[in-house]
């Protein structure tokens, strides 16, 4: 029995969120010599992924599945992990303050 890990990218048709789901796929031969696959998520058998995945962001059930490895070739589609922390440097105006005679 062989096992492989597949990361499949999805895109929500409702909010356009892009995410990946990781599956473990076990390949084996049954008693009749036919090749079989079992798809697992977190160790639990699941049906093979389809375009009907549920968006983890908005809950929409309309998602498009990209081919495996698509996001590695198109990193611009990946959302940033976390926003950059704000810069603590105080802002200074490049214009000098006017000094009025007293």
């Amino acid at each position: 029995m062989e096992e492989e890990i597949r990361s499949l990218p999805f895109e929500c048709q409702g909010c356009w969120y892009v995410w990946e789901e990781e599956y473990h796929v076990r390949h084996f031969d049954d008693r009749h010599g036919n090749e079989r696959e079992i798809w697992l998520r977190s160790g639990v058998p699941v049906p093979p992924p389809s375009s009907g995945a549920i968006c983890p962001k908005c809950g929409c059930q309309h998602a498009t599945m990209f081919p495996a490895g698509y996001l590695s070739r198109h990193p611009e589609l990946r959302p940033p992990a976390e926003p950059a922390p704000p810069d603590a440097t105080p802002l200074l105006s490049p214009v000098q303050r006017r000094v009025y005679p007293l």
Side-chain angles (χ1 to χ4, degrees):
M1 176 170 40
E2 296 176 27
E3 185 170 314
E4 67 175 303
I5 298 174
R6 290 189 195 170
S7 293
L8 299 177
F10 293 89
E11 181 181 52
C12 177
Q13 297 295 304
C15 67
W16 304 109
Y17 180 68
V18 176
W19 76 97
E20 277 187 318
E21 292 184 2
E22 189 172 276
Y23 295 89
H24 289 259
V25 182
R26 292 184 183 161
H27 302 275
F28 63 95
D29 294 331
D30 65 7
R31 296 180 195 166
H32 306 286
N34 300 316
E35 291 184 16
R36 299 285 186 191
E37 290 182 339
I38 294 179
W39 290 72
L40 304 163
R41 281 199 40 121
S42 303
V44 178
V46 295
S50 66
S51 292
I54 297 173
C55 175
K57 187 174 179 183
C58 73
C60 182
Q61 294 184 6
H62 300 287
T64 300
M65 184 173 63
F66 295 118
Y70 185 83
L71 290 181
S72 64
R73 294 186 304 274
H74 297 279
E76 70 277 2
L77 294 176
R78 285 187 187 267
E82 291 183 21
D87 188 5
T89 307
L91 297 176
L92 301 174
S93 174
V95 179
Q96 293 183 353
R97 286 176 43 176
R98 295 175 104 186
V99 180
Y100 295 101
L102 293 174

